[in-house]
Amino acid sequence: MDAESNFRRLCEITAQLRAPGGCPWDREQTHESLVPGLLEEAYEVAAAIRAKDDANLREELGDLLLQVVFHAQIAAETGRFTIEEVAREISDKLVRRHPHVFPVAGVADPGLRDSGAVLKQWDEIKRAEKKSGDEGYFSGLTRALPALMLAQKVQTKAARVNFDWNGLGDVVAKVDEELAETKEAIASGNAREIADEMGDLLFAVVNLARKSQLEAETLLGAATEKFIARFHAMERELEKEGKKLGEVDLAALDEIWDRLKRR
């Protein structure tokens, strides 16, 4: 079967699951009830990519695609929109926002030759499409993103209009500055100041990741997974010694931890 036939089959299966006589669970679902699953599938796609597992990535992309089709099917049942309209709208948007690839009649090819220029043009077109009197430069950002991801997107967009540090050293200096201010706030004991300065410190560290051409969200995810793996290894070491977590003091745990780090 070709791609079109397979996609049509997926849409037909989804419609049948939702139809009278279909699956009771599928028939009960709403846009709202599917949100947790949608987010979970997106994160599982990201996990498969990080693991470089093509077989799992193929499966997870299918699960994510099902979410899109499912939401479109629910909307189609009440005459709001169809999956065909979803596909047409994103196709039109891609063409409209890539005039350097799909020239518009009467408009000269802007001759964009690097990704930075392309992203700047994308932002300009997007802002023109969504322009209204009260909107600002960041109005198109999805505020529901994870905090690290949103911070990096804000910083990246700011950099496209030249609001950016000149070099990596400047960002490192800013991290040092925010760390010093966080220490001062902690010494003061003022809870509000501590929270404010810690937020600034996190924002500066995200900027350091961005300036280093890295994704803060990915870095923290990898660091967390490394911590989990090492903690489990420490737990196994304790078991070999006939000990359990919660029964050993910090000094003993640190000794095992440091030993594992050196391996």
Side-chain angles (χ1 to χ4, degrees), residues 207-223:
N207 228 341
L208 182 59
R210 177 190 62 83
K211 202 67 175 175
S212 302
Q213 309 300 313
L214 297 168
E215 292 289 334
E217 189 79 22
T218 301
L219 295 178
L220 183 57

Side-chain angles (χ1 to χ4, degrees), residues 16-249:
Q16 187 173 345
L17 289 171
R18 290 277 302 175
C23 174
W25 184 90
D26 290 281
R27 285 175 52 76
E28 290 173 0
Q29 300 313 302
T30 64
H31 289 303
E32 292 75 17
S33 71
L34 290 171
V35 167
L38 173 63
L39 296 175
E40 182 179 341
E41 297 301 348
Y43 279 113
E44 288 181 353
V45 167
I49 291 171
R50 286 195 291 268
K52 302 186 186 307
D53 186 337
D54 284 348
N56 187 229
L57 177 58
R58 182 177 64 244
E59 178 185 356
E60 297 302 342
L61 285 172
D63 291 342
L64 186 58
L65 178 59
L66 171 59
Q67 291 287 326
V68 175
V69 172
F70 209 124
H71 279 282
Q73 175 60 33
I74 292 174
E77 291 165 4
T78 52
R80 286 176 290 144
F81 59 83
T82 66
I83 190 64
E84 288 78 11
E85 290 173 293
V86 172
R88 183 179 68 242
E89 189 166 320
I90 186 58
S91 296
D92 290 346
K93 182 190 293 186
L94 287 171
V95 170
R96 190 169 63 247
R97 294 188 184 177
H98 290 85
H100 54 295
V101 179
F102 308 102
V104 179
V107 178
D109 178 0
L112 303 181
R113 295 294 178 265
D114 65 78
S115 59
V118 169
L119 290 173
K120 185 175 182 180
Q121 174 185 258
W122 177 283
D123 280 345
E124 291 171 353
I125 295 172
K126 183 176 180 179
R127 289 191 71 201
E129 291 171 353
K130 300 180 179 295
K131 195 173 180 71
S132 76
D134 297 328
E135 290 182 346
Y137 181 63
F138 295 115
S139 59
L141 285 176
T142 302
R143 303 296 178 84
L145 290 172
L148 287 179
M149 192 180 298
L150 178 60
Q152 188 149 347
K153 279 186 172 292
V154 167
Q155 294 165 0
T156 299
K157 280 180 69 71
R160 289 178 196 155
V161 290
N162 304 318
F163 194 76
D164 194 13
W165 299 100
N166 291 323
L168 192 61
D170 296 326
V171 188
V172 172
K174 183 62 176 177
V175 172
D176 289 339
E177 176 189 325
E178 296 297 349
L179 178 59
E181 291 178 359
T182 299
K183 290 178 179 178
E184 291 175 8
I186 291 172
S188 75
N190 186 309
R192 180 173 294 183
E193 285 186 17
I194 293 170
D196 188 54
E197 294 301 341
M198 281 189 177
D200 290 344
L201 177 58
L202 285 170
F203 194 80
V205 171
V206 171
N207 228 341
L208 182 59
R210 177 190 62 83
K211 202 67 175 175
S212 302
Q213 309 300 313
L214 297 168
E215 292 289 334
E217 189 79 22
T218 301
L219 295 178
L220 183 57
T224 302
E225 289 298 327
K226 181 170 66 176
F227 178 89
I228 291 171
R230 191 171 291 159
F231 196 93
H232 286 170
M234 181 179 68
E235 187 177 9
R236 290 191 293 272
E237 289 294 312
L238 283 174
E239 289 174 354
K240 290 177 184 177
E241 299 173 9
K243 301 173 184 176
K244 294 181 179 180
L245 289 171
E247 299 176 354
V248 182
D249 63 18

